[in-house]
Amino acid sequence: MDMAPRLDTDALLADPETRIIVCCGSGGVGKTTTAAALGVRAAERGRKAVVLTIDPARRLAQSMGIDALDNVPRRVEGIDGAAGGELHAMMLDMKRTFDEFVEAHADPERARAILANPFYQSLSAGFAGTQEYMAMEKLGQLRGRDEWDLIIVDTPPSRSALDFLDAPKRLGSFLDGKFIKILMAPAKVGGRAGMKFLNVGVSMMTGTVSKVLGGQLMRDVQTFAAAMDTMFGGFRTRAEATYRLLQAPGTAFLVVAAPERDALREAAYFVERLAADQMPLAGLVLNRVHGSGAVQLSAERALAAAETLSLGLAEASGASDPASAADPADPADPAVEADPPGSADPADPAVEAGGAEYATLTVNSPENLAEEGIVDPGSGNAREQNAPAADDSSASDPDGSPTSAERLAVGLLRLHAERMQVLAREQRTHHRFTTLHPEVPVAEVAALPGDVHDLVGLRAIGERLADQTERQPKSAAG
């Protein structure tokens, strides 16, 4: 693929001017794991870091040695502190953060009234935009405490990457908007005069709203508005202050994606939005990238070699149907691409060699040396050492000559062909992104055989983020 600029994550983490890193992107691309891995690597390189994560998988909390994450930063044990760094982690508790905001900006009596209000309880627990607003509120709190020199934020999962930037402003505008101000009017005027004002000015409006929402809900909203009177102006102000913090030079955005069409489309959209809002983009982290230690062997040549071996096995066994010997690839199978004319020259040394040396290259590639076995090219999960296509490996020909090596070679060649087809698809998708945004630095993270479940796995991710010396060349697509 065309080589994009290299993203140097170690330089980013080591720069003392970098105070906030925001990992953003669509759901299911590894944002939380990336944020945690960056936190571990930063701490072990001397930074005092805290990771603010949103709704992480339980196994990720356990991987950091913490039974449960909550709204208070917890020290992560097991971090190598030789460089003087340390790591804390926390999970945003949306309602608790809202409660803390109320308790900090209202007197005790008013705070109790607000916290007990049914409308407030619904608003703080699940109102649209509350999670994003409170994530930014917590970010502002952590930055204000100045206990950490690096804050890494895992943005909330959402259907649109724009929600993280837009929702806080929307919520602030709602809480500081005209509708709420109208509801506060009786409290501001006071007593019967206030009720008279309300009856004269907005009785028709409130009557209509009461019919739609219900009288009790309307009273709850009015009580909430009256209690929050002194606080409403602060919502928009604080949202705007945190928004400016995200635009500051000490902040760096990392867009996280996977080499899939939808994820990279969302990543491209987010890159454009960050540029429009003048927010500092550090680069793109591309997770779960597949690779191969034998990129010189294309999918077409691997399939051709496998077919040659299969025919040889069929002739050696005396089978009338070659398919009965080694189950050659079905040309109608959509997973197997047809060989282009001339792609498998019978005189090609690769074909004459029966594909044995290429099978050895494939089985010895870095992805296929995991203890679990051979990595599945589609999912990244490990398969059993004996692939289904290479069963009966202990069988022999009727004349006593062994065939296990040939059968294994056929299976490995086909597995390698599938892997190369995955590589080609991922590279085409990545190429479309780099064509649109050639200026965006990229760090590729190779797919792992399994899930990350401990600090060792997070360190491995951090190392792969930092080591970008072996990027797949364009010729890997075959």
Side-chain angles (χ1 to χ4, degrees), residues 19-20 22 136-144 151 238-253 279-280:
R19 302 298 302 276
I20 298 173
V22 182
M136 295 181 74
E137 171 67 21
K138 180 58 70 174
L139 171 60
Q141 291 178 9
L142 294 174
R143 185 67 178 86
I151 302 170
R238 293 178 71 85
E240 291 174 350
T242 308
Y243 200 80
R244 288 193 298 272
L245 182 62
L246 294 177
Q247 293 175 314
T251 299
F253 278 81
M279 292 192 174

Side-chain angles (χ1 to χ4, degrees), residues 21 24 35-36 86 170 185 204 222 227 314 326 353 383 404 425 427 435 444 461:
I21 295 177
C24 52
E86 58 185 50
R170 289 200 303 266
M204 292 183 65
Q222 288 177 323
R383 291 183 177 178
S404 59
R425 183 174 64 250
Q427 291 177 358
T435 300
E444 296 181 3
I461 294 292

